[in-house]
Amino acid sequence: MSGLAERLASVDARIADAARSAGRDPAGITRIVVTKFHPAALVRDLHALGVTDVGENRQQELVAKAEELSDLDPLRWHFIGQLQTKKARAVRRRASAVHSVDRERLVDALDTAAEPGAPALDVLVQVNLTDDPSRGGVPAADVEALAERVLAAPSLALRGVMAVAPLDEAPAAAFARLAACADRVRALAPDATWISAGMSADLAEAIACGATHLRIGSAITGPRDTRG
Ligand SMILES: *Cc1c(COP(=O)(O)O)cnc(C)c1O
């Protein structure tokens, strides 16, 4: 547990430093701990250290951990992976936000999956910052059309945009394009203020480009199957 606490504190110090360098208030930045491949017990340890936001990229893993940890409060689950439409209902039941909305059929599936009286689901439009269509996300040119589709879905709340930096480009350049997409989405929906960007290796660049939600895995959790 102490190794985990140290890594969490060290990442939070990096976040605070990067925010200060960018002239931003660290309180405006949400640190989501990505717990994929790690057991539910690690999420329980993180919660005991004050973590309230966790991320998963696979539907089955999110559902299983959320069920096992349903006694923890507050604990918000962020879904950050590619999502099949047939899994939309299961994710919607457990997640408070879906960062990886990348096509109209998924918008419709998430909207249809709303249970009566359930709160609106926070969603982000995932932007593909590469030229490779197999990576998740919509091309930057299609962001507004997909955002409009979300805005038309009564049970979804459009919160902003999400992206993963390409492997073959400086993250700052890619995150600058994401910031431009975020501006265009905010022109449609002033409340859509989230920018989900920044992982273990590029959190400072993401903060400099306005990221509001960081998705940090290995720098906090350590390598897969290792407990702190
Ligand atoms: C795994 C993952 C992360 C966290 O990556 P680290 O490099 O371990 O910090 C962030 N975002 C997405 C979409 C991921 O799949």
Side-chain angles (χ1 to χ4, degrees):
M1 179 88 154
S2 72
L4 185 64
E6 273 167 31
R7 290 192 298 271
L8 183 65
S10 141
V11 164
D12 285 348
R14 282 172 63 198
I15 294 170
D17 283 349
R20 223 170 287 121
S21 302
R24 297 184 54 198
D25 180 356
I29 298 171
T30 301
R31 177 251 299 120
I32 299 163
V33 184
V34 178
T35 50
K36 64 187 182 197
F37 304 126
H38 288 277
L42 182 100
V43 181
R44 192 174 286 284
D45 290 347
L46 285 164
H47 189 262
L49 293 168
V51 169
T52 53
D53 290 89
V54 291
E56 290 287 339
N57 69 342
R58 293 184 301 181
Q59 168 266 330
Q60 270 186 316
E61 204 174 331
L62 182 146
V63 168
K65 289 181 197 169
E67 276 171 12
E68 187 171 342
L69 301 170
S70 59
D71 59 308
L72 300 184
D73 185 42
L75 185 65
R76 285 177 292 274
W77 293 91
H78 296 253
F79 189 77
I80 62 172
Q82 296 204 8
L83 182 53
Q84 293 174 271
T85 51
K86 67 180 179 200
K87 309 288 187 186
R89 190 170 300 274
V91 166
R92 172 145 203 171
R93 207 172 288 134
R94 293 293 178 182
S96 67
V98 174
H99 292 226
S100 42
V101 169
D102 60 359
R103 59 202 191 279
E104 295 192 344
R105 281 189 57 227
L106 181 56
V107 173
D108 299 346
L110 286 167
D111 187 38
T112 310
E115 278 164 28
L121 177 71
D122 289 337
V123 305
L124 292 90
V125 169
Q126 183 176 356
V127 184
N128 184 349
L129 298 174
T130 76
D131 295 326
D132 175 359
S134 75
R135 305 286 303 263
V138 280
D142 299 341
V143 164
E144 279 137 312
L146 191 57
E148 296 274 22
R149 186 78 165 211
V150 175
L151 288 168
S155 76
L156 304 180
L158 179 66
R159 289 296 177 203
V161 294
M162 176 273 217
V164 177
L167 297 171
D168 57 353
E169 185 186 2
F175 290 147
R177 294 202 299 285
L178 179 64
C181 290
D183 286 345
R184 284 162 35 214
V185 168
R186 261 199 318 276
L188 297 175
D191 292 339
T193 56
W194 296 13
I195 300 178
S196 168
M199 310 184 357
S200 294
D202 55 22
L203 68 87
E205 290 91 338
I207 289 170
C209 287
T212 62
H213 290 67
L214 310 172
R215 308 179 310 270
I216 314 291
S218 51
I220 294 173
T221 61
R224 182 179 172 180
D225 286 339
T226 301
R227 298 279 306 281

